[in-house]
């Protein structure tokens, strides 16, 4: 039955009114003024010397905080490699428990000899050790955050393998989404450490050894790390007890900052410019060792995006300039506005599993069963969704 | 010479994906599909188009003040992989052991078989008899069929080494077939006279 939109209309209006406060622009402007007034050394010290654990993620400045760095010229020839993934999750209504990971990649080479390689690879997992983190007792099934982690590893593997086949340099490797695997923080440490992070860090090491900068691209980022750092800068208390804030003025500004995202704060960046680099304080990064993730923001021409990279990328000014130039060049070549890197778009297109392909996989499973004399008609619930008779 | 691969096949026509992006065979060109030893299906190209490989992704403008035409493809190398050129050909006969049988084939050609261009000798052999003009004029296609026929006459004329005699016979055959439809006849005759 059609959704009763009349029941939602009023609530939508209320929701929009609540978030689009008229004085939001004024608070963003005040936040930028605060950013300009911050002493980076003092902020770094204040953030790192805190003994009380902060309730939010903060960004620790590597250098300055309010810089705007112009984009440099691109090399005459270069390549960009990108990978993405898509999966078919285990279906409770299927006769078998399995999942499919599909990875797609794109290698785009520009300059004297332009070329493109686009491809994908699919893998079906059905064995006990694939389906459960503890197959003996069938506990911790691979789904949700654990399946996303498996997908992340498959994408990294695809990205590395594609990058290894590229002979030309310079080359930058791009991923969509974050390199900070915070989704695993609540998972069993043994899994995180032994099964996921070990392999994940192996890929980062390999990129480092090959001298290929690895960067993740986050469009429309929701992060507030730098804004949160400003809240710490504002705070006059030692234990961040917001309920007992002694200053009404600070409290009001701090509350307003809570609603502002980093992408708005760095809205002052001009076309092609990037911000200063910040280090993330996410707890999972303590396990990253030499590959700790840092980030910066960049105006790619129509959008301020967040770029994350291991410290061996952001710590080298020449590499950082190259990354900025190539990301901006990708944005310039985008066919859509706001721009999105064509390499990532094509990798996504390669990885995408359509609804008809999903149904086809299920059909292949059922057909294979039928060839062995088993007729599976599906669960009554899934059948009721497929055959919606009246 | 392979020029395409069949991706859609019917009793009257087949659609092939061109091996060369943006360059389908000329309108009216004679092509063939090798069905078996000494047996080729002949067809006339009646339509060509280039577009997105994925029907859900439409081609969008990519040119700028500085980058346009073929430079667009140099600046966006992925386009070679996400666009495709297709052409449609009308089946007009079979050459079986060097004997020409004009008419629709008994079966559509198999999917994924290669499409080749006909060489001068094959073109000359197939176009000796003009019965197949009836087939061309009788099958509904996406562009006016008289324009396809005009394109075919031009192409065969050149393919047969600017054979004036053949062209005159062909023009008379077209006049006979379209004697009831002066406008369509005039379209064909005007087109071949202007270009040949």
């Amino acid at each position: 039955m059609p959704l009763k939109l009349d029941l939602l209309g009023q609530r939508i209006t209320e929701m929009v009114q609540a978030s689009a406060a008229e004085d939001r622009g004024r608070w963003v402007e005040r936040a930028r003024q605060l950013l300009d007034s911050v002493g980076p050394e003092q902020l770094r010290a204040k953030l790192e010397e805190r003994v009380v654990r902060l309730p939010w993620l903060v960004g620790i400045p590597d250098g300055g905080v309010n810089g705007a760095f112009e984009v440099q010229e691109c090399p005459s020839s270069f390549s960009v490699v990108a990978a993405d993934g898509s999966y078919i999750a285990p279906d409770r209504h299927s006769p078998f428990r399995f999942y499919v990971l599909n990875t797609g990649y794109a290698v785009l080479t520009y300059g004297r000899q332009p070329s493109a390689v686009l491809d994908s690879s699919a893998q079906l997992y059905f064995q006990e050790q694939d389906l459960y983190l503890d197959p003996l007792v069938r506990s911790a099934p691979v789904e949700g955050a654990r399946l996303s982690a498996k997908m992340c590893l498959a994408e990294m593997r695809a990205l590395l393998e594609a990058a290894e086949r590229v002979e030309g340099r310079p080359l930058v490797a791009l991923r969509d989404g974050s390199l900070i695997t915070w989704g695993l923080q609540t998972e069993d440490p043994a899994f995180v450490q032994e099964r996921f992070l070990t392999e994940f860090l192996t890929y980062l090491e390999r990129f480092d050894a090959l001298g290929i900068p690895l960067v993740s691209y986050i469009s429309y980022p929701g992060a507030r790390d730098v804004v949160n750092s400003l809240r710490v800068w504002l705070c006059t208390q030692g234990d961040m007890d917001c309920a007992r804030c002694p200053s009404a003025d600070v409290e009001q500004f701090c509350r307003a900052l809570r609603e502002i995202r980093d992408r708005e704060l760095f809205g002052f960046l001009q076309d092609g410019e990037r911000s200063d680099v910040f280090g993330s304080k996410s707890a999972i990064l303590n396990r990253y060792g030499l590959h700790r993730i840092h980030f910066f923001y960049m105006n790619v021409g129509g959008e301020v995006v967040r770029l994350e990279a291991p410290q061996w990328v952001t710590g080298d000014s020449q590499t950082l300039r190259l990354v900025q130039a190539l990301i901006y060049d990708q944005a310039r070549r985008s066919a859509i506005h706001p721009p999105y890197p064509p390499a990532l778009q094509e990798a996504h297109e390669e990885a995408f599993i359509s609804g008809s392909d999903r149904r086809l996989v299920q059909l292949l499973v059922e057909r294979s069963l039928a060839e062995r004399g088993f007729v599976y008609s599906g669960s009554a619930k899934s059948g009721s969704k497929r055959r919606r008779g009246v | 010479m392979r020029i395409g691969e069949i991706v859609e096949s019917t009793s009257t026509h087949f659609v092939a994906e061109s091996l060369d992006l943006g360059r389908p065979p000329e309108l009216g060109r004679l092509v063939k599909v090798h069905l078996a030893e000494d047996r080729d299906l002949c067809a006339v190209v009646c339509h060509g188009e280039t577009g997105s490989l994925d029907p859900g992704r439409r081609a969008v403008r990519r040119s700028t003040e500085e980058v346009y035409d073929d430079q667009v493809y140099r600046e966006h190398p992925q386009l070679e992989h996400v666009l495709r050129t297709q052409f449609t050909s009308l089946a007009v006969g079979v050459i079986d052991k060097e004997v020409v049988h004009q008419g629709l084939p008994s079966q559509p050609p198999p999917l994924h078989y290669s499409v080749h261009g006909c060489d001068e000798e094959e073109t000359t052999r197939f176009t000796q008899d003009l019965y197949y003009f009836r087939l061309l004029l009788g099958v509904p296609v996406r562009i006016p069929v008289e324009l396809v026929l005009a394109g075919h006459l031009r192409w065969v004329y050149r393919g047969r080494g600017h054979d004036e005699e053949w062209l005159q016979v062909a023009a008379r055959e077209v006049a006979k077939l379209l004697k009831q439809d002066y406008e369509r006849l005039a379209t064909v005759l005007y087109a071949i006279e202007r270009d040949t």
Side-chain angles (χ1 to χ4, degrees):
Chain A
M1 293 303 288
L3 187 63
K4 292 180 177 166
L5 291 172
D6 54 318
L7 299 178
L8 306 180
Q10 180 59 31
R11 296 291 287 162
I12 290 171
T13 307
E14 288 169 18
M15 179 175 72
V16 171
Q17 277 173 348
S19 68
E22 286 177 7
D23 54 359
R24 188 180 182 84
R26 186 167 61 85
W27 287 120
V28 171
E29 194 49 48
R30 202 170 149 193
R32 288 177 191 160
Q33 287 167 2
L34 181 62
L35 188 73
D36 288 339
S37 69
V38 163
E41 289 293 337
Q42 294 91 319
L43 176 62
R44 193 177 308 119
K46 192 169 182 179
L47 291 168
E48 285 180 340
E49 286 165 11
R50 290 196 76 82
V51 285
V52 180
R53 191 171 169 273
L54 289 167
W56 346 282
L57 288 176
V58 293
I60 298 184
D62 281 13
V65 290
N66 64 341
F69 301 87
E70 277 185 15
V71 64
Q72 306 291 307
E73 281 281 309
C74 263
S76 55
S77 293
F78 58 91
S79 301
V80 179
V81 58
D84 201 1
S86 181
Y87 58 75
I88 300 175
D91 180 4
R92 195 177 70 78
H93 300 283
S94 170
F96 292 107
R97 189 173 176 83
F98 68 90
Y99 56 89
V100 173
L101 301 183
N102 192 39
T103 51
Y105 72 85
V107 181
L108 303 182
T109 299
Y110 303 99
R112 281 184 294 278
Q113 288 183 304
S115 66
V117 182
L118 314 177
D119 205 356
S120 68
S121 177
Q123 184 78 40
L124 187 142
Y125 298 87
F126 68 93
Q127 291 173 314
E128 294 282 294
Q129 63 266 31
D130 298 322
L131 298 174
Y132 301 94
L133 296 189
D134 191 346
L136 281 179
V137 291
R138 287 189 153 199
S139 71
V142 174
E143 55 193 14
R146 297 174 202 129
L147 183 58
S148 297
K150 290 259 185 187
M151 186 76 258
C152 171
L153 290 179
E155 287 172 26
M156 288 291 282
R157 201 179 309 126
L159 185 61
L160 177 63
E161 287 172 1
E164 283 177 328
R165 287 192 290 270
V166 181
E167 291 177 358
R169 294 290 186 274
L171 167 69
V172 166
L174 271 184
R175 266 202 69 208
D176 184 48
S178 183
L179 284 172
I180 304 167
T181 54
W182 51 267
L184 291 174
Q185 279 177 169
T186 54
E187 290 293 326
D188 175 10
F191 165 67
V192 173
Q193 186 66 43
E194 291 161 26
R195 304 204 188 176
F196 177 79
L197 267 183
T198 305
E199 187 177 341
F200 185 77
L201 293 176
T202 305
Y203 297 135
L204 296 187
E205 272 169 26
R206 187 77 187 126
F207 276 111
D208 188 11
L210 290 167
I212 301 171
L214 169 69
V215 184
S216 74
Y217 185 99
I218 304 166
S219 173
Y220 200 62
R224 296 184 165 97
D225 304 33
V226 181
V227 172
N228 286 339
S229 296
L230 292 181
R231 292 175 70 193
V232 175
W233 176 254
L234 270 183
C235 190
T236 54
Q237 296 192 96
D239 55 359
M240 302 283 296
D241 186 355
C242 295
R244 282 193 285 270
C245 186
S247 165
D249 185 45
V250 167
E251 187 192 7
Q252 191 192 16
F253 188 17
C254 188
R255 277 182 185 278
L257 284 178
R258 211 171 51 180
E259 304 302 319
I260 295 170
R261 297 180 192 273
D262 288 355
R263 64 168 189 265
E264 296 171 275
L265 180 68
F266 289 102
F268 64 85
L269 294 170
Q270 299 296 304
D271 209 2
E273 287 182 344
R274 71 159 174 88
S275 71
D276 275 300
V277 176
F278 299 83
S280 174
K281 280 289 277 182
S282 187
I284 194 105
L285 292 180
N286 294 335
R287 298 166 182 238
Y288 275 48
L290 294 171
H291 308 289
R292 207 175 169 85
I293 303 301
H294 291 238
F295 65 89
F296 57 94
Y297 291 89
M298 182 173 164
N299 182 342
V300 292
E303 188 188 23
V304 172
V305 301
R306 175 174 163 125
L307 297 158
E308 296 179 352
Q311 61 190 18
W312 45 265
V313 174
T314 57
D316 183 280
S317 57
Q318 199 177 341
T319 307
L320 195 56
R321 276 199 295 273
L322 173 74
V323 166
Q324 185 185 0
L326 265 56
I327 294 284
Y328 188 61
D329 181 80
Q330 280 286 288
R332 196 179 58 77
R333 293 174 196 267
S334 171
I336 57 168
H337 188 82
Y340 189 70
L344 274 175
Q345 185 179 8
E346 296 308 334
H348 169 77
E349 291 291 342
E350 290 294 319
F352 178 69
I353 306 175
S354 67
S356 59
D357 281 344
R358 288 171 193 273
R359 284 191 293 278
L360 198 57
V361 170
Q362 194 58 40
L363 198 67
L364 286 172
V365 171
E366 289 172 19
R367 187 175 293 173
S368 186
L369 260 180
E371 282 170 4
R372 281 154 187 78
F374 299 100
V375 177
Y376 177 73
S377 57
S379 76
K381 184 177 177 179
S382 66
S384 77
K385 289 179 180 174
R386 276 194 275 183
R387 294 180 294 277
R388 299 162 57 222
V390 289
Chain B
M1 180 185 55
R2 280 183 74 227
I3 57 173
E5 176 185 322
I6 299 175
V7 292
E8 193 181 317
S9 183
T10 73
S11 293
T12 55
H13 67 274
F14 58 82
V15 179
E17 186 169 323
S18 174
L19 301 186
D20 208 356
L21 180 68
R23 293 183 192 83
E26 294 158 271
L27 197 66
R29 180 187 179 141
L30 199 62
V31 296
K32 66 175 182 180
V33 181
H34 189 54
L35 299 174
E37 184 73 26
D38 288 334
R39 186 173 163 79
D40 293 321
L41 167 73
C42 291
V44 174
V45 176
C46 67
H47 190 256
E49 64 180 331
T50 299
S52 173
L53 191 61
D54 180 347
R57 290 178 80 186
R58 294 187 63 185
V60 293
R61 185 177 71 84
R62 293 187 181 261
S63 63
T64 62
E65 282 290 313
E66 301 82 28
V67 175
Y68 50 86
D69 298 343
D70 63 328
Q71 293 162 319
V72 169
Y73 289 88
R74 289 186 63 82
E75 292 295 305
H76 304 278
Q78 75 275 18
L79 289 178
E80 299 277 346
H81 300 262
V82 297
L83 297 176
R84 70 170 172 184
T85 296
Q86 292 182 301
F87 58 92
T88 305
S89 309
L90 291 170
V92 288
V94 171
I95 301 179
D96 197 353
K97 295 189 176 66
E98 301 189 354
V99 178
V100 173
H101 301 278
Q102 293 186 351
L104 289 180
S106 54
Q107 289 175 319
L111 277 178
H112 302 298
Y113 267 45
S114 299
V115 181
H116 303 258
C118 285
D119 61 23
E120 188 175 337
E121 186 195 335
E122 289 158 337
T123 302
T124 303
R125 179 177 296 133
F126 191 87
T127 56
Q128 277 309 113
D129 189 344
L130 302 179
Y131 167 78
Y132 70 100
F133 283 9
R134 288 168 172 77
L135 293 175
L136 286 180
L137 288 170
V139 179
V141 291
R142 291 165 71 177
I143 53 177
V145 73
E146 54 271 23
L147 295 179
V148 176
L149 185 58
H152 178 64
L153 295 180
R154 286 196 300 265
W155 188 84
V156 175
Y157 166 73
R158 288 197 301 274
R160 294 177 63 114
H162 295 86
D163 188 343
E164 293 285 349
E165 192 181 332
W166 180 87
L167 189 64
Q168 285 177 19
V169 173
R172 281 199 290 274
E173 181 71 12
V174 174
K176 198 164 73 183
L177 292 171
L178 293 177
K179 63 185 175 195
Q180 306 290 354
D181 193 339
Y182 175 75
E183 286 302 321
R184 292 174 76 198
L185 173 61
T187 302
V188 179
L189 296 180
Y190 179 72
I192 59 174
E193 184 176 316
R194 198 182 52 174
D195 289 358
T196 55

